[in-house]
Structure formats: structure tokens, C-alpha cells
Amino acid sequence: MADPRAALAVLVNAFERHLEACSQRRGEDDPSVLAAYDDLADAFEAYDDALLDAFGEMTPFDVVSEPDEDDDAGLEDDGDADGRYLGLDDEEFDEDDLDESDDEGDDEADEDDLDDDADDDDPDDDRSPR
């Protein structure tokens, strides 16, 4: 069983090395930044595993690796040329689903709100401040 405190120290060092490599980056594919990135991902996974083994807990983070070109075959792309997510396409979005979820259970709540508003205007209401 790995010690979570030791794994955390390795993770903090990996963050520091990554920051240093990024601050001295020499081009878009700088090998020192890429190596620091990989080391950081490995250190994070080791820490997360040590935390799970020792305490049954996990961090709320996941390491995301870039998929291979072959892995994307046949998958629909929801991003632009930069790979940013742009949301659902028009044919993927169904307004009827939205309307159904908004309407469910709201009728009774709307009627209750109207009843409450009518009670506020009642001059014989003894609950009004004096």
C-alpha cells in the first residue's frame, strides 16, 4: 500500500516541475513541457490510487488523455477545428423534451402561487402586521 502523504509530495513536485517547464517553454511541442505533463499525470494517478487504497476516497478529477486518431473513427465530432465543444447540433436538440420537463408538476405549483397571492390582498387577514 502506497503512502498518500508521500504520493502527495510527489504530486506537488510534479506540479512545480510542470509550471517551471511551461514558464520556459520553447515552442508548441516543447519536449520538456510534454515530459512534465506526462509526469504530472502519472503523479496524480499514483496519488489518487494511494488515497483510494488507504482511505477508500478519491479526488474529483480525471486525467484526460488525447485519443488516438484510430479511436475517433466513426464518432461524431461536436467541436470546431480547435477541438472545443460547441454543444448540440440542431438535429440533436429537441425542444419537445424541454417543454415536457418544464410542464411536469408546474400546474399545481402555479395554482398554489395564485392562491397565496390572493390571500395577501385580504384586508380581513389577521396575520398582517399592525
Side-chain angles (χ1 to χ4, degrees):
M1 177 185 307
D3 176 23
R5 181 133 334 254
L8 177 61
V10 171
L11 177 59
V12 170
N13 279 334
F15 270 116
E16 290 175 358
R17 286 191 310 275
H18 184 261
L19 175 63
E20 187 67 26
C22 289
S23 69
Q24 298 176 4
R25 187 173 93 168
R26 297 173 303 273
E28 189 163 324
D29 292 327
D30 187 327
S32 64
V33 174
L34 297 175
Y37 177 92
D38 289 338
D39 291 345
L40 179 57
D42 292 343
F44 170 75
E45 287 181 357
Y47 171 70
D48 211 32
D49 289 344
L51 198 61
L52 183 62
D53 290 345
F55 305 113
E57 294 291 334
M58 297 173 57
T59 63
F61 311 113
D62 288 321
V63 175
V64 179
S65 61
E66 292 192 30
D68 295 335
E69 294 294 324
D70 296 338
D71 292 343
D72 289 338
L75 296 178
E76 190 172 322
D77 184 18
D78 286 334
D80 67 358
D82 296 335
R84 291 178 287 166
Y85 178 73
L86 299 177
L88 296 174
D89 294 332
D90 289 339
E91 62 269 2
E92 295 174 321
F93 181 74
D94 188 2
E95 278 190 43
D96 293 337
D97 290 342
L98 240 183
D99 292 339
E100 289 172 12
S101 66
D102 287 345
D103 291 342
E104 292 175 14
D106 284 348
D107 293 338
E108 287 181 24
D110 291 341
E111 289 173 14
D112 289 342
D113 290 343
L114 290 175
D115 291 341
D116 291 342
D117 292 341
D119 291 342
D120 292 341
D121 296 333
D122 187 3
D124 295 329
D125 190 0
D126 290 337
R127 294 180 287 163
S128 61
R130 296 182 186 192

PDB file of all heavy atoms in Angstrom, residues 79-101:
ATOM      1  N   GLY A  79     -17.170  19.422 -31.947  1.00  0.00           N
ATOM      2  CA  GLY A  79     -16.279  20.540 -31.729  1.00  0.00           C
ATOM      3  C   GLY A  79     -15.944  21.261 -33.010  1.00  0.00           C
ATOM      4  O   GLY A  79     -16.306  20.853 -34.101  1.00  0.00           O
ATOM      5  N   ASP A  80     -15.227  22.370 -32.860  1.00  0.00           N
ATOM      6  CA  ASP A  80     -14.779  23.104 -34.036  1.00  0.00           C
ATOM      7  C   ASP A  80     -13.364  22.653 -34.388  1.00  0.00           C
ATOM      8  O   ASP A  80     -12.878  21.668 -33.866  1.00  0.00           O
ATOM      9  CB  ASP A  80     -14.867  24.611 -33.798  1.00  0.00           C
ATOM     10  CG  ASP A  80     -13.892  25.107 -32.743  1.00  0.00           C
ATOM     11  OD1 ASP A  80     -13.174  24.283 -32.156  1.00  0.00           O
ATOM     12  OD2 ASP A  80     -13.843  26.319 -32.504  1.00  0.00           O
ATOM     13  N   ALA A  81     -12.706  23.378 -35.251  1.00  0.00           N
ATOM     14  CA  ALA A  81     -11.370  22.988 -35.707  1.00  0.00           C
ATOM     15  C   ALA A  81     -10.355  22.967 -34.562  1.00  0.00           C
ATOM     16  O   ALA A  81      -9.385  22.226 -34.609  1.00  0.00           O
ATOM     17  CB  ALA A  81     -10.901  23.938 -36.805  1.00  0.00           C
ATOM     18  N   ASP A  82     -10.586  23.752 -33.512  1.00  0.00           N
ATOM     19  CA  ASP A  82      -9.679  23.786 -32.365  1.00  0.00           C
ATOM     20  C   ASP A  82      -9.970  22.672 -31.368  1.00  0.00           C
ATOM     21  O   ASP A  82      -9.288  22.550 -30.371  1.00  0.00           O
ATOM     22  CB  ASP A  82      -9.785  25.130 -31.637  1.00  0.00           C
ATOM     23  CG  ASP A  82      -9.333  26.290 -32.497  1.00  0.00           C
ATOM     24  OD1 ASP A  82      -8.527  26.051 -33.420  1.00  0.00           O
ATOM     25  OD2 ASP A  82      -9.780  27.423 -32.256  1.00  0.00           O
ATOM     26  N   GLY A  83     -11.019  21.895 -31.624  1.00  0.00           N
ATOM     27  CA  GLY A  83     -11.356  20.811 -30.716  1.00  0.00           C
ATOM     28  C   GLY A  83     -12.208  21.250 -29.548  1.00  0.00           C
ATOM     29  O   GLY A  83     -12.396  20.498 -28.608  1.00  0.00           O
ATOM     30  N   ARG A  84     -12.737  22.469 -29.556  1.00  0.00           N
ATOM     31  CA  ARG A  84     -13.594  22.943 -28.476  1.00  0.00           C
ATOM     32  C   ARG A  84     -15.016  22.441 -28.685  1.00  0.00           C
ATOM     33  O   ARG A  84     -15.502  22.398 -29.800  1.00  0.00           O
ATOM     34  CB  ARG A  84     -13.609  24.469 -28.407  1.00  0.00           C
ATOM     35  CG  ARG A  84     -12.264  25.030 -27.955  1.00  0.00           C
ATOM     36  CD  ARG A  84     -12.305  26.508 -27.953  1.00  0.00           C
ATOM     37  NE  ARG A  84     -12.277  26.917 -29.365  1.00  0.00           N
ATOM     38  CZ  ARG A  84     -12.552  28.122 -29.795  1.00  0.00           C
ATOM     39  NH1 ARG A  84     -12.889  29.063 -28.966  1.00  0.00           N
ATOM     40  NH2 ARG A  84     -12.503  28.421 -31.081  1.00  0.00           N
ATOM     41  N   TYR A  85     -15.694  22.084 -27.593  1.00  0.00           N
ATOM     42  CA  TYR A  85     -17.070  21.604 -27.659  1.00  0.00           C
ATOM     43  C   TYR A  85     -17.989  22.780 -27.955  1.00  0.00           C
ATOM     44  O   TYR A  85     -17.931  23.812 -27.302  1.00  0.00           O
ATOM     45  CB  TYR A  85     -17.453  20.945 -26.335  1.00  0.00           C
ATOM     46  CG  TYR A  85     -18.880  20.465 -26.315  1.00  0.00           C
ATOM     47  CD1 TYR A  85     -19.251  19.354 -27.043  1.00  0.00           C
ATOM     48  CD2 TYR A  85     -19.844  21.122 -25.575  1.00  0.00           C
ATOM     49  CE1 TYR A  85     -20.550  18.897 -27.036  1.00  0.00           C
ATOM     50  CE2 TYR A  85     -21.153  20.671 -25.560  1.00  0.00           C
ATOM     51  CZ  TYR A  85     -21.501  19.562 -26.288  1.00  0.00           C
ATOM     52  OH  TYR A  85     -22.793  19.124 -26.281  1.00  0.00           O
ATOM     53  N   LEU A  86     -18.851  22.616 -28.946  1.00  0.00           N
ATOM     54  CA  LEU A  86     -19.753  23.687 -29.352  1.00  0.00           C
ATOM     55  C   LEU A  86     -21.209  23.382 -29.037  1.00  0.00           C
ATOM     56  O   LEU A  86     -22.091  24.130 -29.431  1.00  0.00           O
ATOM     57  CB  LEU A  86     -19.604  23.951 -30.860  1.00  0.00           C
ATOM     58  CG  LEU A  86     -18.217  24.392 -31.297  1.00  0.00           C
ATOM     59  CD1 LEU A  86     -18.178  24.549 -32.808  1.00  0.00           C
ATOM     60  CD2 LEU A  86     -17.827  25.687 -30.624  1.00  0.00           C
ATOM     61  N   GLY A  87     -21.475  22.314 -28.332  1.00  0.00           N
ATOM     62  CA  GLY A  87     -22.846  21.986 -27.959  1.00  0.00           C
ATOM     63  C   GLY A  87     -23.517  21.086 -28.969  1.00  0.00           C
ATOM     64  O   GLY A  87     -22.900  20.561 -29.886  1.00  0.00           O
ATOM     65  N   LEU A  88     -24.811  20.937 -28.793  1.00  0.00           N
ATOM     66  CA  LEU A  88     -25.583  20.061 -29.657  1.00  0.00           C
ATOM     67  C   LEU A  88     -25.867  20.724 -30.991  1.00  0.00           C
ATOM     68  O   LEU A  88     -26.090  21.925 -31.068  1.00  0.00           O
ATOM     69  CB  LEU A  88     -26.924  19.721 -28.996  1.00  0.00           C
ATOM     70  CG  LEU A  88     -26.848  18.936 -27.694  1.00  0.00           C
ATOM     71  CD1 LEU A  88     -28.237  18.816 -27.089  1.00  0.00           C
ATOM     72  CD2 LEU A  88     -26.257  17.567 -27.925  1.00  0.00           C
ATOM     73  N   ASP A  89     -25.882  19.916 -32.035  1.00  0.00           N
ATOM     74  CA  ASP A  89     -26.321  20.405 -33.335  1.00  0.00           C
ATOM     75  C   ASP A  89     -27.832  20.531 -33.303  1.00  0.00           C
ATOM     76  O   ASP A  89     -28.511  19.946 -32.458  1.00  0.00           O
ATOM     77  CB  ASP A  89     -25.910  19.424 -34.442  1.00  0.00           C
ATOM     78  CG  ASP A  89     -24.401  19.341 -34.604  1.00  0.00           C
ATOM     79  OD1 ASP A  89     -23.729  20.333 -34.294  1.00  0.00           O
ATOM     80  OD2 ASP A  89     -23.923  18.279 -35.031  1.00  0.00           O
ATOM     81  N   ASP A  90     -28.395  21.276 -34.260  1.00  0.00           N
ATOM     82  CA  ASP A  90     -29.841  21.483 -34.298  1.00  0.00           C
ATOM     83  C   ASP A  90     -30.613  20.174 -34.353  1.00  0.00           C
ATOM     84  O   ASP A  90     -31.646  20.016 -33.708  1.00  0.00           O
ATOM     85  CB  ASP A  90     -30.241  22.365 -35.491  1.00  0.00           C
ATOM     86  CG  ASP A  90     -29.811  23.804 -35.287  1.00  0.00           C
ATOM     87  OD1 ASP A  90     -29.583  24.196 -34.118  1.00  0.00           O
ATOM     88  OD2 ASP A  90     -29.712  24.533 -36.285  1.00  0.00           O
ATOM     89  N   GLU A  91     -30.118  19.205 -35.120  1.00  0.00           N
ATOM     90  CA  GLU A  91     -30.845  17.947 -35.230  1.00  0.00           C
ATOM     91  C   GLU A  91     -30.733  17.105 -33.962  1.00  0.00           C
ATOM     92  O   GLU A  91     -31.519  16.198 -33.740  1.00  0.00           O
ATOM     93  CB  GLU A  91     -30.410  17.142 -36.464  1.00  0.00           C
ATOM     94  CG  GLU A  91     -28.966  16.729 -36.474  1.00  0.00           C
ATOM     95  CD  GLU A  91     -28.053  17.753 -37.152  1.00  0.00           C
ATOM     96  OE1 GLU A  91     -28.523  18.808 -37.588  1.00  0.00           O
ATOM     97  OE2 GLU A  91     -26.848  17.474 -37.226  1.00  0.00           O
ATOM     98  N   GLU A  92     -29.767  17.389 -33.093  1.00  0.00           N
ATOM     99  CA  GLU A  92     -29.628  16.658 -31.836  1.00  0.00           C
ATOM    100  C   GLU A  92     -30.479  17.268 -30.724  1.00  0.00           C
ATOM    101  O   GLU A  92     -30.775  16.619 -29.740  1.00  0.00           O
ATOM    102  CB  GLU A  92     -28.169  16.654 -31.379  1.00  0.00           C
ATOM    103  CG  GLU A  92     -27.253  15.903 -32.293  1.00  0.00           C
ATOM    104  CD  GLU A  92     -25.805  16.035 -31.881  1.00  0.00           C
ATOM    105  OE1 GLU A  92     -25.396  17.130 -31.467  1.00  0.00           O
ATOM    106  OE2 GLU A  92     -25.098  15.029 -31.976  1.00  0.00           O
ATOM    107  N   PHE A  93     -30.890  18.507 -30.889  1.00  0.00           N
ATOM    108  CA  PHE A  93     -31.642  19.227 -29.868  1.00  0.00           C
ATOM    109  C   PHE A  93     -33.131  19.095 -30.132  1.00  0.00           C
ATOM    110  O   PHE A  93     -33.600  19.356 -31.227  1.00  0.00           O
ATOM    111  CB  PHE A  93     -31.234  20.703 -29.876  1.00  0.00           C
ATOM    112  CG  PHE A  93     -31.935  21.515 -28.831  1.00  0.00           C
ATOM    113  CD1 PHE A  93     -31.580  21.398 -27.508  1.00  0.00           C
ATOM    114  CD2 PHE A  93     -32.955  22.378 -29.180  1.00  0.00           C
ATOM    115  CE1 PHE A  93     -32.218  22.141 -26.545  1.00  0.00           C
ATOM    116  CE2 PHE A  93     -33.601  23.128 -28.214  1.00  0.00           C
ATOM    117  CZ  PHE A  93     -33.240  23.009 -26.897  1.00  0.00           C
ATOM    118  N   ASP A  94     -33.886  18.690 -29.137  1.00  0.00           N
ATOM    119  CA  ASP A  94     -35.317  18.501 -29.286  1.00  0.00           C
ATOM    120  C   ASP A  94     -36.039  19.376 -28.273  1.00  0.00           C
ATOM    121  O   ASP A  94     -36.011  19.103 -27.074  1.00  0.00           O
ATOM    122  CB  ASP A  94     -35.666  17.023 -29.072  1.00  0.00           C
ATOM    123  CG  ASP A  94     -37.114  16.718 -29.397  1.00  0.00           C
ATOM    124  OD1 ASP A  94     -37.840  17.632 -29.825  1.00  0.00           O
ATOM    125  OD2 ASP A  94     -37.514  15.548 -29.223  1.00  0.00           O
ATOM    126  N   GLU A  95     -36.677  20.449 -28.747  1.00  0.00           N
ATOM    127  CA  GLU A  95     -37.376  21.374 -27.858  1.00  0.00           C
ATOM    128  C   GLU A  95     -38.537  20.710 -27.145  1.00  0.00           C
ATOM    129  O   GLU A  95     -38.913  21.122 -26.053  1.00  0.00           O
ATOM    130  CB  GLU A  95     -37.871  22.596 -28.634  1.00  0.00           C
ATOM    131  CG  GLU A  95     -36.800  23.632 -28.825  1.00  0.00           C
ATOM    132  CD  GLU A  95     -37.361  24.922 -29.373  1.00  0.00           C
ATOM    133  OE1 GLU A  95     -38.430  25.354 -28.907  1.00  0.00           O
ATOM    134  OE2 GLU A  95     -36.721  25.497 -30.254  1.00  0.00           O
ATOM    135  N   ASP A  96     -39.133  19.670 -27.732  1.00  0.00           N
ATOM    136  CA  ASP A  96     -40.248  18.983 -27.089  1.00  0.00           C
ATOM    137  C   ASP A  96     -39.823  18.378 -25.759  1.00  0.00           C
ATOM    138  O   ASP A  96     -40.585  18.380 -24.796  1.00  0.00           O
ATOM    139  CB  ASP A  96     -40.817  17.893 -27.998  1.00  0.00           C
ATOM    140  CG  ASP A  96     -41.484  18.471 -29.238  1.00  0.00           C
ATOM    141  OD1 ASP A  96     -41.888  19.654 -29.190  1.00  0.00           O
ATOM    142  OD2 ASP A  96     -41.593  17.757 -30.253  1.00  0.00           O
ATOM    143  N   ASP A  97     -38.595  17.865 -25.679  1.00  0.00           N
ATOM    144  CA  ASP A  97     -38.095  17.316 -24.423  1.00  0.00           C
ATOM    145  C   ASP A  97     -38.009  18.398 -23.364  1.00  0.00           C
ATOM    146  O   ASP A  97     -38.301  18.176 -22.198  1.00  0.00           O
ATOM    147  CB  ASP A  97     -36.718  16.672 -24.615  1.00  0.00           C
ATOM    148  CG  ASP A  97     -36.796  15.384 -25.421  1.00  0.00           C
ATOM    149  OD1 ASP A  97     -37.896  14.825 -25.538  1.00  0.00           O
ATOM    150  OD2 ASP A  97     -35.747  14.956 -25.937  1.00  0.00           O
ATOM    151  N   LEU A  98     -37.602  19.574 -23.763  1.00  0.00           N
ATOM    152  CA  LEU A  98     -37.507  20.700 -22.838  1.00  0.00           C
ATOM    153  C   LEU A  98     -38.881  21.089 -22.330  1.00  0.00           C
ATOM    154  O   LEU A  98     -39.080  21.305 -21.142  1.00  0.00           O
ATOM    155  CB  LEU A  98     -36.888  21.896 -23.567  1.00  0.00           C
ATOM    156  CG  LEU A  98     -35.597  22.484 -23.068  1.00  0.00           C
ATOM    157  CD1 LEU A  98     -35.181  23.665 -23.840  1.00  0.00           C
ATOM    158  CD2 LEU A  98     -35.414  22.561 -21.634  1.00  0.00           C
ATOM    159  N   ASP A  99     -39.851  21.194 -23.230  1.00  0.00           N
ATOM    160  CA  ASP A  99     -41.195  21.614 -22.857  1.00  0.00           C
ATOM    161  C   ASP A  99     -41.838  20.614 -21.898  1.00  0.00           C
ATOM    162  O   ASP A  99     -42.488  21.004 -20.939  1.00  0.00           O
ATOM    163  CB  ASP A  99     -42.081  21.765 -24.101  1.00  0.00           C
ATOM    164  CG  ASP A  99     -41.638  22.933 -24.969  1.00  0.00           C
ATOM    165  OD1 ASP A  99     -40.945  23.825 -24.442  1.00  0.00           O
ATOM    166  OD2 ASP A  99     -41.980  22.946 -26.172  1.00  0.00           O
ATOM    167  N   GLU A 100     -41.656  19.328 -22.140  1.00  0.00           N
ATOM    168  CA  GLU A 100     -42.248  18.314 -21.282  1.00  0.00           C
ATOM    169  C   GLU A 100     -41.694  18.381 -19.873  1.00  0.00           C
ATOM    170  O   GLU A 100     -42.425  18.282 -18.901  1.00  0.00           O
ATOM    171  CB  GLU A 100     -42.015  16.921 -21.859  1.00  0.00           C
ATOM    172  CG  GLU A 100     -42.827  16.640 -23.100  1.00  0.00           C
ATOM    173  CD  GLU A 100     -42.437  15.329 -23.753  1.00  0.00           C
ATOM    174  OE1 GLU A 100     -41.699  14.547 -23.126  1.00  0.00           O
ATOM    175  OE2 GLU A 100     -42.867  15.095 -24.891  1.00  0.00           O
ATOM    176  N   SER A 101     -40.394  18.576 -19.732  1.00  0.00           N
ATOM    177  CA  SER A 101     -39.798  18.614 -18.399  1.00  0.00           C
ATOM    178  C   SER A 101     -40.180  19.885 -17.664  1.00  0.00           C
ATOM    179  O   SER A 101     -40.296  19.897 -16.454  1.00  0.00           O
ATOM    180  CB  SER A 101     -38.280  18.469 -18.486  1.00  0.00           C
ATOM    181  OG  SER A 101     -37.726  19.586 -19.140  1.00  0.00           O
TER     182      SER A 101
END
